[in-house]
Amino acid sequence: RRHTRLQGDWSSDVCSSDLCAQMGNLLGVMHRVQGDFPLRKNNPVSLTALEEIWQACTQAQGFVLESWQDFHDEFLWLGQQDTHHLPKGTIHADAFPDNVFFDEKGQICGIIDWYFACYDHLLYDVALTLVGWCYDQARQWRPDWAGAFLRARSEEHTSELQSPCNL
């Protein structure tokens, strides 16, 4: 039977080690299967783009640098890091729980909202996804969930792959 829409539903109760592992696996699959996908859209909030955004913000009326000093210091530090060796590929860049569908058994069955998909470091996608998935309902960081996510992603995205997308 042919479906004209993604089967499944969004769930507000997505926090668990098992679901983090499922998402880590899915992200690993997405990073692995893209191969040499030729289309590339630059990340509109990459470090390069953030420099332009930062400059525009500093020119805005009422901008107070002191209020943003920690961000600015971190931004400067990140800009000094050598990232050329980190693998790049097409990333989802918005793989938060509200963009994932679950089947009736609570298993991830699809991911939606590819609007922010772009070409950037795979680590950027991993970091964004970890932030979205590894905090519990009380907004506490769950290192056990992060570990489950990272282990599942690593198992799916093994070092034997001969692809520029390895992470």
Side-chain angles (χ1 to χ4, degrees), residues 48-96:
T48 303
L50 282 176
E51 176 63 31
E52 295 173 23
I53 294 168
W54 177 257
Q55 291 304 320
C57 288
T58 62
Q59 302 304 313
Q61 184 177 13
F63 180 82
V64 180
L65 179 60
E66 294 75 29
S67 300
W68 291 90
Q69 192 62 52
D70 289 343
F71 173 82
H72 186 247
D73 293 346
E74 190 71 18
F75 175 72
L76 290 175
W77 180 84
L78 285 170
Q80 295 170 356
Q81 304 312 302
D82 179 14
T83 60
H84 79 277
H85 63 285
L86 295 175
K88 287 186 167 187
T90 300
I91 63 172
H92 187 277
D94 195 19
F96 297 113

Side-chain angles (χ1 to χ4, degrees), residues 33-40 90 119 165:
V33 300
Q34 62 184 289
D36 295 326
F37 185 67
L39 300 178
R40 296 202 170 141
T90 300
Y119 185 80
C165 304

Side-chain angles (χ1 to χ4, degrees), residues 138-151:
R139 299 183 190 260
Q140 297 296 308
W141 174 252
R142 293 295 304 263
D144 53 328
W145 295 357
F149 174 95
L150 293 170
R151 279 189 301 280

Side-chain angles (χ1 to χ4, degrees), residues 7-150:
Q7 298 297 301
D9 200 1
W10 178 79
S11 171
S12 61
D13 184 28
V14 296
C15 298
S16 77
S17 181
D18 177 59
L19 290 178
C20 287
Q22 286 184 50
M23 190 60 216
N25 180 270
L26 178 58
L27 200 67
V29 169
M30 291 180 348
H31 290 167
R32 177 180 53 83
V33 300
Q34 62 184 289
D36 295 326
F37 185 67
L39 300 178
R40 296 202 170 141
K41 174 182 131 185
N42 290 330
N43 184 350
V45 290
S46 67
L47 281 178
T48 303
L50 282 176
E51 176 63 31
E52 295 173 23
I53 294 168
W54 177 257
Q55 291 304 320
C57 288
T58 62
Q59 302 304 313
Q61 184 177 13
F63 180 82
V64 180
L65 179 60
E66 294 75 29
S67 300
W68 291 90
Q69 192 62 52
D70 289 343
F71 173 82
H72 186 247
D73 293 346
E74 190 71 18
F75 175 72
L76 290 175
W77 180 84
L78 285 170
Q80 295 170 356
Q81 304 312 302
D82 179 14
T83 60
H84 79 277
H85 63 285
L86 295 175
K88 287 186 167 187
T90 300
I91 63 172
H92 187 277
D94 195 19
F96 297 113
D98 61 337
N99 287 328
V100 174
F101 277 21
F102 302 89
D103 65 18
E104 63 280 349
K105 296 177 185 172
Q107 302 295 302
I108 293 176
C109 64
I111 187 165
I112 61 170
D113 194 0
W114 292 83
Y115 178 81
F116 291 105
C118 58
Y119 185 80
D120 206 341
H121 294 103
L122 301 182
L123 186 57
Y124 184 89
D125 214 18
V126 171
L128 283 176
T129 308
L130 277 169
V131 167
W133 284 82
C134 298
Y135 283 89
D136 63 20
Q137 300 286 9
R139 299 183 190 260
Q140 297 296 308
W141 174 252
R142 293 295 304 263
D144 53 328
W145 295 357
F149 174 95
L150 293 170

